Amino acid sequence: MSAPPSQTEVVDRPNFDWLLADASLFGVVLIWGINMPVMKIGLEHMNVYAFNAGRLTLSAAVLVVIAIRAGSFRPSSISRSMWKHVAVYAFIASGLYQVLFLLGIARTTSGNAALIMTSVPMWTALLARFLIGERLSRLAWTGLIGAFVGTCVVTATNGVSGDSSYFLGNLIMLVAALTWSYGTVKSRQILTSVSPLTLSAVASVSMLPLHFLIAGPNVLHDFSALTRADAFLPILYSGIFSTGFALAMWNFGVRQTGAAHASVYQNLIPVIAMLSAWMIRGETVSPSQIMGGVMIVGGLMIMRRARK
C-alpha cells in the first residue's frame, strides 16, 4: 500500500490550480485586449468582409475541435422545438454581431472599441430587466446609470485627431454591444438544455455561408492578400487564439475560480487594448476615454457588488 500524501502535497495542489487558473484568465485578457489593434492592422490590408469570413472560418473550426475534444459537441441532442431558438441566436451572435463588430473596429480607435464593448454587462442587465423581468436593486441601478453615462462619453469621442468618422464607428460598436447583449439574454433559455460549447460551435458553423455571401463573389480574390504577413497573421491570431484558445482558457479559469472572480479580469481588457494600441499603432489615449472608461468600469463594479 502506498504511503499517504504529505501535508505539503495536500496543500500545494489547490494553490497551484488557483495560480494556473489566474494565469489562464490573465492570458485571456491579454489575448482579447491585443486582438483589437491586431485586427485593425489586418483590415488595413484586406477587404473587411473577406477578413471577417476568413477569421470566422478559423474560429468555427477551432470551436468544433474544442467541443469534440471536450465531449460537448452534440447537435443531435438539440430538440426540434429548440432549433428555432438556436437559429435566432446564431443569426444574432454569430451573424449580425460579428459584422457590426468588425465594421466598428474598422471605423474607430482600438481604445474606444474596447471601452464600448466593456459596457456589455450593463446592456445585458438592462435588457434582462425588460425582456425577462430580472429585478435590479437601487445600488445596481446606480452602477448601471454610471456605466451608461461613461459609455455615452466614450461613444461621443471623435478621437484625438477630431476625425468625425470615429463617431460613426463608435455608434456601430455600440449597436454591436447591444446586439451581443441581446444574444446573451436570448441564450439563457437555450443553455438550459444545450451545452455552451455546442451552442457556440453550431452557431459559428451555421453562419459561415452568410459571411461568405456578404463578402461577395470576389472573396477568393480578396484572399490573395493573405500572402502578406500583415493580413495573414491578424486573421490567424483573431480566428484561432482570440476565439478558440481563449474560450477554452476562460472556461478553465471560470471553473476553477468562479464567475465573480473571473469577471474582475474583464475590467483589464480596455486597459490592455489601449496600451497595446499605443505600442503597436501609436494610438493616443484621450482624457474623455479615461473619464468614460473609469465611469464604465466603476459602474460595472457597483452593479456586480449589488447583484451578489
Side-chain angles (χ1 to χ4, degrees), residues 25-26 28-30 32-33 114-115 117-122 147 250 259-274 293-305:
L25 292 172
F26 186 69
V28 173
V29 169
L30 284 176
W32 284 346
L115 287 169
M117 287 307 299
T118 303
S119 69
V120 163
M122 174 193 71
W250 182 260
H261 181 86
S263 67
V264 176
Y265 281 90
Q266 288 181 304
N267 296 331
L268 295 175
I269 293 176
V271 177
I272 292 173
M274 287 188 284
V294 169
M295 294 182 72
I296 293 171
V297 173
L300 292 178
M301 291 180 70
I302 292 173
M303 284 180 60
R304 285 170 181 149
R305 177 176 291 274

Side-chain angles (χ1 to χ4, degrees), residues 213-278:
L213 182 64
I214 294 173
N218 296 323
V219 63
L220 294 179
H221 177 267
D222 294 329
F223 280 166
S224 62
L226 293 177
T227 56
R228 299 171 55 99
D230 42 17
F232 172 71
L233 292 178
I235 279 187
L236 196 69
Y237 181 90
S238 180
I240 294 179
F241 294 98
S242 182
T243 302
F245 292 146
L247 179 63
M249 293 164 63
W250 182 260
N251 287 338
F252 171 75
V254 171
R255 186 168 61 250
Q256 293 292 330
T257 66
H261 181 86
S263 67
V264 176
Y265 281 90
Q266 288 181 304
N267 296 331
L268 295 175
I269 293 176
V271 177
I272 292 173
M274 287 188 284
L275 284 175
S276 58
W278 170 67

Side-chain angles (χ1 to χ4, degrees), residues 142-294:
T142 301
L144 189 149
I145 292 171
F148 175 78
V149 173
T151 304
C152 291
V153 170
V154 174
T155 304
T157 299
N158 284 339
V160 177
S161 65
D163 188 346
S164 60
S165 67
Y166 286 143
F167 179 65
L168 176 60
N170 292 342
L171 285 179
I172 295 174
M173 189 59 69
L174 182 59
V175 176
L178 282 165
T179 303
W180 180 258
S181 298
Y182 179 75
T184 301
V185 175
K186 180 69 178 176
S187 70
R188 292 183 182 180
Q189 61 182 310
I190 303 173
L191 292 174
T192 57
S193 57
V194 180
S195 73
L197 282 176
T198 294
L199 180 61
S200 298
V202 169
S204 298
V205 172
S206 64
M207 285 296 106
L208 286 181
L210 174 65
H211 291 296
F212 276 92
L213 182 64
I214 294 173
N218 296 323
V219 63
L220 294 179
H221 177 267
D222 294 329
F223 280 166
S224 62
L226 293 177
T227 56
R228 299 171 55 99
D230 42 17
F232 172 71
L233 292 178
I235 279 187
L236 196 69
Y237 181 90
S238 180
I240 294 179
F241 294 98
S242 182
T243 302
F245 292 146
L247 179 63
M249 293 164 63
W250 182 260
N251 287 338
F252 171 75
V254 171
R255 186 168 61 250
Q256 293 292 330
T257 66
H261 181 86
S263 67
V264 176
Y265 281 90
Q266 288 181 304
N267 296 331
L268 295 175
I269 293 176
V271 177
I272 292 173
M274 287 188 284
L275 284 175
S276 58
W278 170 67
M279 295 174 64
I280 297 172
R281 297 177 48 81
E283 292 183 10
T284 306
V285 180
S286 67
S288 59
Q289 283 179 314
I290 295 174
M291 180 175 68
V294 169

